[in-house]
């Protein structure tokens, strides 16, 4: 794939009103961040001179997601690993149970950030928001590296989780910068970066901690965050704020409203919960499976199976290209069939053949990533003005699924064995398929279920029909303005609040 073929323009038709003020007939382009930090001229938003969103910039988004999401997972290999100088529990003179709370706190902070900070992407300029979040994360990481107190360490971990929503901000920004026909490709690169960060953080922390004190891990993290901060300043383009007539509290209220009133959002969230539960249960119970009969693998050998997952992450951009060519509903359907097939392999031979386990590790990663990209593409296409809120709903549903998968998967495996656990997950994948089939590929946006609108799978054909002036009942292919008018119809908003005013 050539770089030129991937490039799309910033400032394509979107739902939000332009945030560029007009003075004397001229566009006024903000030249500073926070009122004092100069924005490089080439990165300033100008609707008359749109910036190209090419492959290099897209990859930069993915790379930044890798390095920032890693903050959530550095601590996991360092909690109770029985190696000299490694254990956080020994360093703070704490029990294993007390140390284990650290991982829970940082994840709880992340969920808090998703609910309270991520929606700000629909209200403020995201370049400034990213700079502020990365600065806060860097400062807090310094505290982790030097604090001698367990309670202070726990509080800082929670706060790092709160401010570590940068990947979600970048994901919605990528969706805005890319044209609709390239949106899935842009999202897949950022999602791949995020998933790679989850994997690489544990490996990096484990390797460093194995040879030196755990504090070195956080010193390295400080340097990484400074690198991301510098990169964000010199690479991240400015983009206007959206929803000028909204306040922060109305943004939060509307997010809750979307979660219960938009059929596609509700359906996607339920599918995401079930799929995330299955995926998490597989990786959590894989350690039990490989550590027992007939394998009896060491911890090191079990850890190497994570490399198979990395291979699955690498094909993410190719998945995005496939999703771009299809109506998202069909891409999700293909992903679900793949998930069912690979989970069936696990149920049949996971505890018998290691080759089956390797195939399943790779296949589930690829299929799950395809499902996540297609679901996200479909949901974000409902409204670019509400992209941050809609994405936050999807990510929250993913976390709910992770909690369910960890607990249910472990209980079933311990009480009934690997095959019973695999069959339960297979049944959940079947439930997702049934749920998906309740709404057809072109079901009108306001219907809870139905198959109106035909069965066309190719976006190119639908686009050709629109150009010929044909009428269509396809919800996902409605124009952006039409969809936003439907979603926002009947609303009235008050003046902006102080949070929004500070960022604009």
């Amino acid at each position: 794939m050539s770089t030129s073929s991937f490039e799309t323009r910033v400032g394509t038709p979107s739902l939000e009103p332009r945030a560029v003020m007009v003075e004397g007939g001229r566009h006024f382009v903000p030249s500073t961040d926070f009122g004092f930090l100069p924005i490089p001229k080439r990165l300033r938003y100008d609707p008359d001179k749109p910036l190209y969103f090419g492959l290099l910039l897209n990859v930069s988004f993915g790379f930044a997601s890798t390095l920032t999401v890693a903050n959530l997972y550095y601590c996991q290999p360092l909690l109770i690993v029985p190696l000299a100088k490694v254990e956080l529990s020994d360093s703070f003179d704490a029990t294993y149970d007390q140390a284990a709370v650290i991982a829970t706190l940082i994840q709880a902070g992340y969920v808090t950030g998703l609910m309270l900070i991520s929606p700000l992407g629909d209200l403020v300029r995201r370049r400034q928001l990213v700079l502020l979040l990365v600065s806060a994360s860097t400062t807090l990481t310094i505290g982790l590296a030097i604090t001698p107190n367990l309670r202070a360490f726990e509080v800082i971990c929670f706060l790092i989780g709160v401010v570590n929503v940068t990947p979600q901000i970048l994901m919605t920004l990528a969706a805005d910068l890319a044209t609709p026909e390239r949106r899935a490709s842009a999202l897949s690169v950022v999602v791949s970066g995020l998933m790679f960060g989850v994997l690489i953080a544990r490996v990096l922390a484990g390797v460093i901690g194995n040879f030196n004190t755990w504090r070195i891990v956080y010193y390295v993290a400080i340097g990484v965050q400074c690198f991301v901060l510098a990169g964000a300043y010199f690479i991240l383009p400015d983009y206007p704020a959206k929803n000028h007539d909204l306040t922060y509290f109305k943004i939060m209220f509307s997010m809750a409203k979307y979660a219960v009133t938009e059929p596609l959002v509700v359906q996607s969230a339920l599918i995401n919960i079930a799929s995330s539960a299955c995926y998490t249960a597989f990786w959590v119970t894989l350690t039990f499976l490989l550590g027992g009969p007939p394998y009896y693998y060491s911890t090191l050998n079990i850890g190497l199976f994570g490399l198979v997952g990395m291979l699955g992450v690498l094909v993410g951009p190719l998945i995005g290209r496939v999703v771009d060519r299809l109506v998202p509903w069909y891409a999700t359907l293909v992903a679900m069939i793949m998930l069912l097939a690979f989970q069936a392999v696990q149920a049949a031979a996971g505890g018998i053949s290691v080759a089956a386990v390797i195939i399943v590790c790779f296949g589930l990663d690829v299929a799950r990533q395809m499902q996540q990209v297609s679901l996200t593409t479909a949901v974000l296409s409902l409204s670019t003005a509400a992209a941050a809120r809609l994405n936050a709903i999807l990510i929250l549903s993913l976390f709910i699924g992770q909690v369910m998968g960890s607990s249910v998967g472990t209980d079933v495996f311990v009480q009934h064995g690997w095959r019973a656990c695999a069959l339960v997950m297979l049944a959940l994948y079947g439930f997702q398929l049934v749920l998906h089939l309740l709404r057809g590929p072109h079901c009108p946006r306001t219907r809870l279920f139905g198959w109106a609108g035909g069965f066309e799978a190719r976006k190119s054909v639908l686009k050709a029909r629109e150009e010929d002036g044909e009428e269509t009942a396809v919800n996902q292919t409605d124009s952006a303005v039409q969809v936003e008018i439907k979603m926002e119809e009947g609303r009235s908003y008050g003046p902006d609040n102080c949070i929004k005013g500070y960022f604009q």
Side-chain angles (χ1 to χ4, degrees):
M1 178 180 63
S2 65
T3 302
S4 60
S5 67
F6 195 87
E7 289 175 342
T8 54
R9 286 183 180 270
V10 175
T12 53
S14 59
L15 315 185
E16 71 275 6
R18 284 181 177 176
V20 180
M21 294 171 283
V22 177
E23 294 183 354
R26 294 184 178 180
H27 292 294
F28 174 72
V29 180
S31 60
T32 61
D33 289 321
F34 311 111
F36 68 91
L37 187 63
I39 302 174
K41 289 185 178 180
R42 61 186 176 81
L43 300 177
R44 297 174 187 175
Y45 179 79
D46 187 348
D48 297 326
K49 297 179 180 179
L51 182 73
Y52 278 98
F53 184 60
L55 180 60
L56 181 60
L57 183 56
N58 199 176
V59 170
S60 298
F61 277 33
F63 190 57
S65 296
T66 298
L67 298 180
T68 52
V69 78
N71 292 328
L72 300 175
Y73 300 96
Y74 286 134
C75 67
Q76 292 184 3
L78 305 175
L79 295 177
I80 55 175
V81 180
L83 297 172
K85 299 183 180 180
V86 171
E87 298 180 18
L88 285 167
S89 55
D90 281 351
S91 180
F92 292 119
D93 193 23
T95 65
Y96 283 0
D97 289 341
Q98 290 174 322
V101 172
I102 294 172
T104 303
L105 284 172
I106 201 166
Q107 294 297 326
Y110 187 49
V111 172
T112 302
L114 286 172
M115 291 190 294
L116 301 182
I117 295 181
S118 183
L120 282 173
D122 288 337
L123 194 64
V124 303
R125 286 165 54 199
R126 280 164 289 184
R127 173 183 163 88
Q128 292 186 125
L129 183 57
V130 168
L131 290 174
L132 184 63
L133 292 175
V134 178
S135 298
S137 177
T138 305
T139 304
L140 290 168
T141 305
I142 296 173
L144 289 182
I146 65 176
T147 182
N149 184 274
L150 177 62
R151 297 304 175 204
F153 191 91
E154 291 175 342
V155 171
I156 295 172
C157 280
F158 177 81
L159 294 176
I160 281 183
V162 172
V163 301
N164 208 63
V165 294
T166 299
Q168 309 310 323
I169 305 299
L170 293 176
M171 190 178 300
T172 57
L173 180 57
D176 279 346
L177 298 180
T179 54
E181 63 269 16
R182 299 295 185 192
R183 184 170 291 147
S185 296
L187 288 173
S188 67
V189 173
V190 182
V191 170
S192 295
L194 190 149
M195 296 180 69
F196 189 74
V198 174
L199 297 172
I200 201 65
R202 294 168 178 152
V203 175
L204 182 63
V207 170
I208 295 176
N210 190 30
F211 296 100
N212 215 314
T213 172
W214 61 266
R215 293 187 186 273
I216 297 297
V217 174
Y218 289 105
Y219 287 129
V220 171
I222 294 169
V224 168
Q225 295 302 294
C226 288
F227 176 75
V228 173
L229 184 60
Y233 177 78
F234 289 107
I235 296 177
L236 191 64
D238 195 21
Y239 196 77
K242 302 184 285 187
N243 302 300
H244 291 283
D245 296 327
L246 280 176
T247 66
Y248 176 74
F249 295 104
K250 287 180 178 177
I251 284 282
M252 298 301 295
F253 174 78
S254 64
M255 184 172 76
K257 182 179 178 181
Y258 291 149
V260 296
T261 61
E262 285 294 327
L264 179 61
V265 176
V266 174
Q267 180 193 40
S268 299
L270 291 175
I271 291 173
N272 217 20
I273 289 173
S275 185
S276 177
C278 295
Y279 184 76
T280 303
F282 171 77
W283 283 103
V284 168
T285 60
L286 183 64
T287 301
F288 306 149
L289 174 64
L290 297 178
Y295 303 113
Y296 297 107
Y297 287 166
S298 66
T299 303
L300 176 61
N301 289 334
I302 295 173
L304 293 177
F305 278 78
L307 298 177
V308 180
M310 290 185 185
L311 294 176
V313 170
L314 293 178
V315 303
L318 298 178
I319 291 172
R321 296 294 292 169
V322 173
V323 176
D324 271 331
R325 297 177 183 274
L326 297 173
V327 172
W329 187 93
Y330 284 100
T332 304
L333 178 63
V334 171
M336 286 181 171
I337 294 173
M338 291 172 62
L339 288 168
L340 275 169
F342 286 112
Q343 187 62 38
V345 172
Q346 173 69 5
I352 300 173
S353 169
V354 70
V357 177
I358 294 174
I359 291 172
V360 172
C361 286
F362 179 79
L364 289 182
D365 264 23
V366 172
R368 173 60 186 142
Q369 192 169 356
M370 184 176 187
Q371 184 186 51
Q372 186 173 349
V373 170
S374 59
L375 287 174
T376 303
T377 302
V379 170
L380 295 191
S381 70
L382 287 176
S383 170
T384 58
R389 286 163 283 172
L390 296 172
N391 185 63
I393 294 170
L394 289 181
I395 301 301
L396 286 170
S397 67
L398 186 148
F399 263 82
I400 294 172
Q402 288 180 353
V403 173
M404 290 175 54
S406 297
S407 58
V408 174
T410 301
D411 288 344
V412 174
F413 188 98
V414 170
Q415 296 181 23
H416 303 286
W418 66 269
R419 179 160 279 141
C421 181
L423 289 173
V424 170
M425 297 306 110
L426 187 64
L428 269 180
Y429 281 128
F431 167 75
Q432 295 171 50
L433 182 60
V434 172
L435 190 62
H436 185 61
L437 294 175
L438 290 177
R439 302 182 82 247
H442 306 302
C443 181
R445 183 185 61 85
T446 56
R447 287 195 186 181
L448 290 173
F449 52 86
W451 280 76
F455 301 93
E456 181 56 53
R458 294 165 296 175
K459 287 183 179 179
S460 59
V461 174
L462 294 172
K463 184 177 180 181
R465 289 177 181 174
E466 288 184 354
E467 291 174 350
D468 291 338
E470 293 185 12
E471 296 291 333
T472 177
V474 180
N475 171 49
Q476 286 89 341
T477 57
D478 280 348
S479 70
V481 175
Q482 288 174 326
V483 173
E484 185 63 11
I485 289 174
K486 293 175 184 177
M487 294 185 71
E488 304 296 334
E489 187 176 357
R491 288 190 179 182
S492 60
Y493 303 113
D496 295 343
N497 65 356
C498 60
I499 294 179
K500 181 182 175 184
Y502 178 75
F503 280 88
Q504 291 180 340

